[in-house]
Amino acid sequence: MSDGRVIVRNFVSLSAGQAIGFAFGLATTILLARTLGPETFGILGFGQALVAFAGIAIVLGTDTYGAREIARNFGRAGTLIGEILGFRTVVAAVAIPAVIGIAALLGASGTRLEVLTIQAVGLVATVMTIDFAFQGIQRMGPIAVRQSVASGLVFAGASLLVAGPGDVRIAAILPFAAVGLTSIWLLFRFQRTIAPIRVRFSPGVWRGWIGVVLPIGLGGLSVTVFQQVDIAMLGFLVPEAEVGRYVALVRLYIIVTTVGNLLAAVYAPVLAPLAGSDAEARRAAYRPFAGAVLVMGGPAAAAMTAFPNDVVALFFGAAYAVDPAVVVIVMLSALLFVAVSATSVALVAWDDQLFHSKALGGSAVLNVALNAALIPAFGLRGAAIATLISAAALLAAETVRLVRAHGVGEIARPAKTAILLAVVFGAAYYLRQVLLPPGAVPALVVGAFGGGGVAVFFAAAAAARLIDIRRLASLLRHR
């Protein structure tokens, strides 16, 4: 099979797996939020946030490193996987008790500590996950199957076994059990069809990795800080029901940012060959991309901004209603991160990943400091503001870098997109106030006025040529 056909096959397989996983994941989140209620859902989300940091420590960039090394030297695949599994086992033996102990020292107890302990022990499943091995040999199909089946198992388990707040421990077990079972299947598949694997404890070999995997792990840590640190801090500072409501908002935030990330993943191969090109060639390729990410990701955030509690009630139920200002701030942060998906991909594609890592790390540190300062005084609103400010700082730093180091900048089209979003969804909000009484059914509000706003926006964006479909398609076809 030609390289081009392999790339297409792998992209289609992985995209399908991720789409199925995303759909099941969203359905599971909605189901658990409604079944558990805000307080218990907050306990679950708090544990997930803390355990995520231990998960980063266990993986520590070995997935990226492993995929790269296997792609370069297939003959060492079985040996390298065994060394990585041994490394992760040792780190897990330290990280799992550490996260449980830290939570207990900071005041977690009762059901909260029990749930967190289940989630922490479940990280053993992370140790066994070898998706990177199949990525390295360019066989994405098994990865897609594992991800799809795991997400389907979690949804099925939640549907059958979680009937109320008392089942929160079962809800905590489900994702790790599903990942563990499917990871074991993937391990046996690799062993049976590709190469034998034996777990190896080789400190000397591990020392040779650390300079490579540590920067990758720190990048993953920075991303996790943006997504989880506010939830973790809120868990110690505000009532559990408030944590649950904020966790629900973060899930909506992820929906918005996923659109930008998917488009960035598709477009990255278009930008990469231009690393050595002149600035005009880079500008010509970057401009339609920078406009497209906001046009594609903006309407969902704008609809949630215009009808915050209607959207929250539609997805999670009226019990999750929060101060509308908090929803607006979170959605503005999501819009900024959609824009960051463009700047980040461009920097990495043009061999400027070191600056990207520094900017991401610096903004993550800023995010932690702002959360520590603002949450005690302002609660959920403080957490949302902290994310907004740090996201704005990251976008500003990367935009300036693109202009100064690469001669690429795109301000006019994103600004026009933002103005159009404000006009269209401002009008949709006004019409909703005029035409529907207070307390109207959320599905009607979101469907008629949110959905109508999305349709009008895309029509207006096409008329104003804010997104150049032909140019994008031409670049992708050429690639």
Side-chain angles (χ1 to χ4, degrees):
M1 187 178 292
S2 68
D3 288 346
R5 290 178 63 192
V6 170
I7 291 170
V8 171
R9 181 196 66 187
N10 286 334
F11 175 75
V12 171
S13 297
L14 199 55
S15 297
Q18 289 178 344
I20 293 170
F22 181 80
F24 273 126
L26 178 59
T28 302
T29 297
I30 294 171
L31 175 64
L32 291 177
R34 289 178 171 271
T35 304
L36 298 176
E39 183 174 341
T40 309
F41 190 62
I43 292 173
L44 195 67
F46 167 75
Q48 289 171 341
L50 277 184
V51 165
F53 292 99
I56 290 293
I58 291 170
V59 175
L60 197 66
T62 54
D63 49 357
T64 302
Y65 172 78
R68 188 188 74 183
E69 293 304 306
I70 290 171
R72 290 177 176 176
N73 186 358
F74 171 74
R76 284 200 69 243
T79 300
L80 181 61
I81 294 169
E83 291 166 351
I84 289 175
L85 292 179
F87 174 82
R88 289 180 176 180
T89 300
V90 171
V91 177
V94 176
I96 291 173
V99 73
I100 297 170
I102 290 170
L105 287 173
L106 292 176
S109 60
T111 302
R112 178 186 292 196
L113 187 58
E114 291 175 17
V115 169
L116 185 141
T117 300
I118 291 169
Q119 293 168 321
V121 173
L123 288 175
V124 171
T126 302
V127 173
M128 300 184 294
T129 304
I130 62 161
D131 291 11
F132 67 87
F134 286 88
Q135 182 182 358
I137 61 174
Q138 298 188 59
R139 289 177 59 181
M140 304 301 185
I143 300 174
V145 171
R146 191 201 66 75
Q147 292 176 345
S148 301
V149 171
S151 57
L153 287 174
V154 175
F155 177 72
S159 302
L160 296 172
L161 303 175
V162 181
D167 297 322
V168 65
R169 294 164 188 82
I170 296 174
I173 292 171
L174 287 174
F176 300 104
V179 171
L181 287 172
T182 54
S183 294
I184 290 171
W185 166 76
L186 208 58
L187 272 167
F188 278 116
R189 182 184 177 109
F190 195 95
Q191 287 242 91
R192 188 177 66 254
T193 63
I194 299 170
I197 299 171
R198 183 169 61 86
V199 177
R200 299 169 184 266
F201 298 94
S202 310
V205 174
W206 301 341
R207 282 193 293 270
W209 297 349
I210 200 68
V212 178
V213 301
L214 187 58
I216 301 171
L218 290 176
L221 175 63
S222 299
V223 173
T224 303
V225 165
F226 273 110
Q227 294 183 344
Q228 305 291 353
V229 74
D230 44 4
I231 297 173
M233 289 187 176
L234 284 168
F236 291 109
L237 297 170
V238 303
E240 288 163 346
E242 289 295 284
V243 179
R245 294 185 180 100
Y246 194 81
V247 170
L249 288 185
V250 171
R251 300 299 182 263
L252 295 178
Y253 157 96
I254 291 173
I255 292 174
V256 174
T257 56
T258 296
V259 176
N261 291 335
L262 286 175
L263 185 57
V266 174
Y267 207 76
V270 176
L271 297 176
L274 301 175
S277 302
D278 59 89
E280 184 54 42
R282 291 195 296 270
R283 281 195 294 270
Y286 180 74
R287 282 174 178 165
F289 171 49
V293 290
L294 279 180
V295 171
M296 300 304 293
M304 294 178 196
T305 299
F307 312 108
N309 281 333
D310 290 302
V311 172
V312 170
L314 178 63
F315 277 92
F316 304 109
Y320 286 83
V322 297
D323 177 1
V326 176
V327 184
V328 171
I329 297 168
V330 169
M331 288 304 111
L332 289 175
S333 301
L335 273 178
L336 292 178
F337 271 108
V338 168
V340 165
S341 67
T343 59
S344 299
V345 165
L347 287 172
V348 173
W350 297 334
D351 299 325
D352 208 355
Q353 59 270 11
L354 181 59
F355 179 85
H356 168 61
S357 297
K358 290 179 178 178
L360 187 60
S363 58
V365 171
L366 175 63
N367 185 275
V368 173
L370 289 171
N371 272 294
L374 297 176
I375 288 176
F378 303 104
L380 302 191
R381 187 176 292 193
I385 291 171
T387 301
L388 179 66
I389 293 174
S390 51
L394 176 59
L395 178 60
E398 293 199 340
T399 300
V400 170
R401 179 69 173 187
L402 279 174
V403 172
R404 290 183 175 178
H406 302 280
V408 172
E410 179 60 26
I411 301 297
R413 193 170 295 181
K416 291 177 182 178
T417 301
I419 292 170
L420 181 60
L421 285 169
V423 170
V424 170
F425 287 94
Y429 172 81
Y430 174 76
L431 289 173
R432 182 256 180 270
Q433 300 301 112
V434 171
L435 298 177
L436 289 181
V441 177
L444 176 60
V445 175
V446 176
F449 295 94
V454 170
V456 170
F457 170 79
F458 278 127
R465 298 184 65 81
L466 292 178
I467 181 169
D468 191 340
I469 297 294
R470 290 183 180 179
R471 173 64 175 162
L472 284 170
S474 173
L475 287 165
L476 289 169
R477 280 199 304 270
H478 175 69
R479 174 60 188 164

